[in-house]
Amino acid sequence: MLKSVCVYCGSSMGVSETHAEAMRALAREMINENIALVYGGGKVGLMGVLADEMIRLGGEVTGIIPKDLMDKEVAHEELTRLYIVKDMHERKAMMSDLADGFIAAPGGIGTMEELFETSAWSQLGLHDKPIGVLNVNGFYDSLIVLINHLAKEGFAQEKYADSLIVESDPKEMLRRLRIAATPEEKPAKPSGRFLI
């Protein structure tokens, strides 16, 4: 069940307005699908654009921000709820706990680190939630090549590389995340006693 999605994205705007447009489009689709946002709690950059659009449209937004980033990322004060935590480790763990799936949108080193840590946790069996990469205007093309290279060279299992949901369209991204977040029905165990 996909009730909330954690979105990793830049605390900067980047050079292309396309990135901000994609964040607003993602917010609209999340509202249409009745999906709550979990994110880093900042008011600046793409983080702020996404949160502002969710709030403007009446969506539920949960932010998690470390106390030492309150000023640098300018904590958003108009969220549904804002958690102030002690450090980045607690932030990422809490975002993971509160979300049913993840999307990495355009961003910098911090966004890459969050994406890779979430992927590593999946490989280690710490969660089985779907992970998406919102590939706005080919932003993540080189990263996808790198991940496939890691698999080809034997440093990542192909099933994990293949499990990343790569989409440029927010609506299709959410559709695929929802499918991936739906637990597969397992066959019922036989009842009764069998003699062999």
Side-chain angles (χ1 to χ4, degrees), residues 34-47:
N34 198 28
I35 296 172
L37 170 65
V38 176
Y39 86 118
K43 190 173 184 171
V44 296
L46 297 182
M47 294 169 64

Side-chain angles (χ1 to χ4, degrees), residues 2 23 46 56 76 80 92 129 142 169 188 194:
L2 194 67
M23 293 300 91
L46 297 182
R56 186 182 76 78
H76 207 305
T80 310
K92 290 180 291 184
K129 300 172 184 178
S142 297
D169 177 61
F194 294 88

Side-chain angles (χ1 to χ4, degrees), residues 104-173:
I109 298 297
T111 302
M112 301 302 110
E113 188 263 344
E114 289 166 329
L115 170 62
F116 276 108
E117 185 164 71
T118 301
S119 298
W121 288 357
S122 175
Q123 290 184 50
L124 292 170
L126 301 179
H127 74 81
D128 61 356
K129 300 172 184 178
I131 303 168
V133 175
L134 191 59
N135 194 21
V136 180
N137 257 5
F139 183 83
Y140 279 114
D141 285 354
S142 297
L143 182 68
I144 302 307
V145 169
L146 173 61
I147 291 170
N148 288 329
H149 177 69
L150 294 176
K152 181 181 174 186
E153 291 294 319
F155 290 103
Q157 291 183 28
E158 283 191 23
K159 67 178 181 178
Y160 292 112
D162 293 342
S163 71
L164 276 182
I165 298 168
V166 181
E167 284 292 341
S168 59
D169 177 61
K171 184 172 186 170
E172 183 63 11
M173 169 64 75

Side-chain angles (χ1 to χ4, degrees), residues 20-34 50 53-54 56-57 170 174:
E21 290 171 9
M23 293 300 91
R24 286 188 281 269
L26 177 59
R28 289 191 297 272
E29 293 302 332
M30 289 176 70
I31 294 295
N32 290 341
E33 297 285 334
N34 198 28
L50 178 60
E53 188 69 0
M54 288 287 296
R56 186 182 76 78
L57 296 171
L174 292 176

